[in-house]
Amino acid sequence: MGKTVFVFSGQGAQYPGMGKSLYESSDAARAVFDMAESIRPGTIKQCFEGTKEELSVTINTQPCVFAADLAAAAAVAEKGITPDYVAGFSLGEIAALAFAGMLSYEDAFRLVCKRAEVMDKAAKENRGAMAAVMKLTPEKVEEICAQFRQAYPVNYNSAAQTVVAAAEDEIDELCAKVKEEKGKATKLAVSGAFHSPFMNSASDALAEYLEGVELREPKLPVISNVTAQPYEGDYKALIAAQVKSPVRWQKTVENLVEWGADSFIEVGVGKTLAGLIKRINSEVKAVNIETKEGLDAL
């Protein structure tokens, strides 16, 4: 029998009303949201009633998406479905760490609030932009980025999609270069150049914050965005490095399949990861659970 993976969605998938039906139908999901609300009052209202604009602000997005992700995972586990591995995309990795027991839910939520704060600060101090590049290989995207002063591949999503980060004054020229090379580039509506050297100060601030956070051994393997391998060694250094390092999502999925995974359940917000997984390997099962209807269907 194949192995099951819970994958936790990241920033960008948020939408008004996320998590509401699970809150109303699952005791486990409700407990997660109530925990978040006790630490950061207003989180539930933002998730369920917040506007798209309000939810797009990094210091709101990250706590809200984290709560919705972890609540969905708790609701699925409440039904008796447990994973063999967990992985998260960017922000989603913190929810994966919490679900695996490396962090208490409370400590993980506080960490996410701090992460949002320092990433937002770094984005304002080091102005950058991001674009999704399609129809070109990751290697070709790396070649293009190397031609610019500050441009980096930051999300290796699939063989035909790589997200890049660049200085604000270089992103348009980079997109034009992609078009010259017969690719397609779409600028992303984000507030900073995440997972790149533009986030070095955020990484340093997280490392300092983590000195006061207790980490435990995970109860199941958590796959790191930085290495595409299970967490090992200095856990705190990996968590801090993640915000300034590329997300190796394609390699993560390929490794999980190699290790026997054939069922992926995207817990939380949106269907982005399930779609990427199917593009990486069309033979595996990939579903998303973010509502009561989806949970019942599972």
Side-chain angles (χ1 to χ4, degrees):
M1 186 174 175
K3 295 178 179 177
T4 299
V5 185
F6 282 9
V7 293
F8 294 76
S9 51
Q11 188 170 347
Q14 66 275 0
Y15 61 88
M18 57 185 178
K20 190 170 189 289
S21 70
L22 290 180
Y23 181 86
E24 293 170 345
S25 60
S26 162
D27 290 342
R30 189 178 308 113
V32 171
F33 276 110
D34 288 347
M35 173 278 299
E37 183 70 19
S38 71
I39 294 171
R40 180 180 179 270
T43 299
I44 288 176
K45 185 173 183 181
Q46 278 187 339
C47 287
F48 300 167
E49 302 174 26
T51 64
K52 185 178 178 182
E53 291 72 26
E54 184 181 10
L55 288 169
S56 295
V57 178
T58 295
I59 56 172
N60 296 332
T61 312
Q62 293 198 22
C64 289
V65 170
F66 172 90
D69 281 3
L70 195 56
V76 175
E78 187 179 36
K79 291 286 191 181
I81 299 168
T82 54
D84 299 284
Y85 299 97
V86 292
F89 193 101
S90 187
L91 164 67
E93 187 169 296
I94 310 301
L97 292 170
F99 185 82
M102 188 185 288
L103 289 153
S104 71
Y105 284 8
E106 292 81 4
D107 282 349
F109 187 72
R110 291 188 184 98
L111 173 61
V112 163
C113 292
K114 184 66 176 180
R115 184 182 187 272
E117 175 192 317
V118 299
M119 289 176 75
D120 183 61
K121 184 172 186 284
K124 288 172 179 171
E125 292 173 348
N126 308 288
R127 306 301 300 186
M130 299 176 76
V133 178
M134 279 78 73
K135 300 182 180 179
L136 296 179
T137 65
E139 293 76 17
K140 189 64 182 176
V141 175
E142 289 169 353
E143 284 180 25
I144 292 171
C145 286
Q147 299 172 34
F148 292 85
R149 180 174 47 87
Q150 287 181 292
Y152 315 93
V154 292
N155 297 345
Y156 290 85
N157 289 346
S158 70
Q161 185 186 105
T162 306
V163 174
V164 299
E168 278 188 330
D169 60 358
E170 292 190 302
I171 194 71
D172 289 336
E173 190 180 345
L174 190 151
C175 290
K177 185 66 176 176
V178 167
K179 191 174 180 181
E180 278 180 32
E181 297 289 349
K182 310 301 183 190
K184 179 183 177 184
T186 304
K187 287 201 285 187
L188 302 180
V190 294
S191 59
F194 305 127
H195 297 287
S196 77
F198 285 84
M199 290 289 118
N200 284 349
S201 61
S203 179
D204 292 342
L206 272 185
E208 183 178 344
Y209 176 82
L210 283 161
E211 289 177 8
V213 178
E214 180 191 357
L215 298 185
R216 302 183 287 257
E217 287 298 314
K219 297 173 185 173
L220 66 163
V222 184
I223 313 306
S224 164
N225 284 177
V226 177
T227 64
Q229 296 287 330
Y231 260 72
E232 61 180 6
D234 189 338
Y235 297 158
K236 292 182 179 181
L238 273 178
I239 294 170
Q242 192 235 38
V243 299
K244 65 176 182 180
S245 305
V247 176
R248 301 191 179 279
W249 190 251
Q250 180 181 356
K251 186 63 177 173
T252 292
V253 174
E254 290 172 346
N255 284 346
L256 284 163
V257 172
E258 188 178 323
W259 300 332
D262 66 359
S263 297
F264 292 78
I265 301 174
E266 180 174 3
V267 284
V269 187
K271 305 175 183 178
T272 301
L273 299 185
L276 288 175
I277 290 164
K278 291 297 288 183
R279 285 200 283 277
I280 294 167
N281 189 313
S282 60
E283 296 180 7
V284 302
K285 297 172 188 168
V287 299
N288 74 300
I289 303 299
E290 56 182 325
T291 63
K292 178 183 183 299
E293 291 73 25
L295 185 63
D296 291 343
L298 186 65

